[in-house]
Amino acid sequence: GKMEGINSIGTSCADNPFCIKRRENGDSICSHCYAATYMKMRNALKERLENNANILSARILNDNELPEITDAVFRFESFGDIYNATHLTNYVNISRKNPNTRFALYTKNTWILDEVFNKNGITKPTNLSIVVSSPLLNKSIELDRNKFWFVDHVFTVYDNKFIAENNVNINCGAKNCLGCQICYH
């Protein structure tokens, strides 16, 4: 599919309180969550994603505990979302440890980004692209670029009807991410 050829580290949306709350909101794009459906069919995947969440969100990992990644591009959070500032800091540290890999982090949890990069003063690595996902179908979000200076892209899902009626030019459309890489650069 779309992510073919791109490895990722992800966490479970099934026990992330932010994901659960968004899935309950019928107006949220998360109410159509493919990851929650897919994890129900793959128990081993769900267990691994939950384990990742426990490891990444509990404490800041030591450098020797962080993975060495040799991929050219790599994604954070293809199934869930960041849980807290500790989780995000671990992703930042993984990016720093692997400077030759281009990382993309997808999140809707902008307050955690703000906490880590603005309030805690952590510098975003140059090899980390942050993509904020709009929480609502057909409704792009506007971010204050002064406050959210660390965000590289906003990703919004549009349905075909909205695209046709509003002449929306999308840059994705379920292309192969490895061939496209717009979100990574």
Side-chain angles (χ1 to χ4, degrees):
K2 176 177 164 171
M3 292 294 298
E4 185 176 352
I6 296 182
N7 289 316
S8 68
I9 296 173
T11 57
S12 171
C13 63
D15 63 347
N16 182 317
F18 307 118
C19 293
I20 293 167
K21 186 173 179 126
R22 283 191 291 260
R23 275 197 320 277
E24 292 170 352
N25 176 354
D27 294 329
S28 170
I29 189 66
C30 298
S31 66
H32 308 281
C33 182
Y34 74 91
T37 302
Y38 191 75
M39 285 189 325
K40 286 178 185 175
M41 298 184 297
R42 306 276 192 269
N43 286 331
L45 172 65
K46 183 177 185 280
E47 290 171 15
R48 285 173 177 81
L49 293 171
E50 288 172 351
N51 189 46
N52 287 349
N54 292 333
I55 292 168
L56 291 164
S57 65
R59 66 180 177 81
I60 304 297
L61 300 174
N62 298 320
D63 189 63
N64 64 340
E65 296 174 294
L66 300 173
E68 291 186 24
I69 297 169
T70 58
D71 301 51
V73 294
F74 196 91
R75 179 170 169 169
F76 294 131
E77 293 311 327
S78 53
F79 281 92
D81 207 333
I82 50 179
Y83 281 60
N84 55 33
T86 299
H87 187 171
L88 177 56
T89 301
N90 280 320
Y91 282 157
V92 166
N93 291 340
I94 291 169
S95 299
R96 283 200 180 105
K97 182 174 180 171
N98 297 280
N100 296 321
T101 298
R102 187 69 185 172
F103 294 91
L105 166 65
Y106 289 74
T107 185
K108 293 177 186 71
N109 298 343
T110 56
W111 64 93
I112 297 173
L113 298 170
D114 181 49
E115 179 181 345
V116 168
F117 295 116
N118 287 329
K119 295 177 182 152
N120 294 348
I122 293 176
T123 304
K124 184 181 93 162
T126 57
N127 64 329
L128 174 61
S129 179
I130 296 179
V131 182
V132 171
S133 299
S134 300
L136 302 177
L137 178 69
N138 299 324
K139 188 168 171 54
S140 184
I141 58 172
E142 296 292 324
L143 296 173
D144 177 346
R145 298 310 280 168
N146 291 319
K147 181 177 180 179
F148 293 100
W149 54 269
F150 40 80
V151 173
D152 298 288
H153 305 282
V154 173
F155 178 83
T156 305
V157 176
Y158 298 102
D159 64 26
N160 289 333
K161 180 181 178 199
F162 187 90
I163 291 168
E165 291 175 355
N166 295 280
N167 198 28
V168 173
N169 183 19
I170 60 172
N171 67 358
C172 182
K175 295 177 191 168
N176 176 278
C177 292
L178 189 59
C180 176
Q181 296 187 30
I182 287 173
C183 295
Y184 295 81
H185 298 280

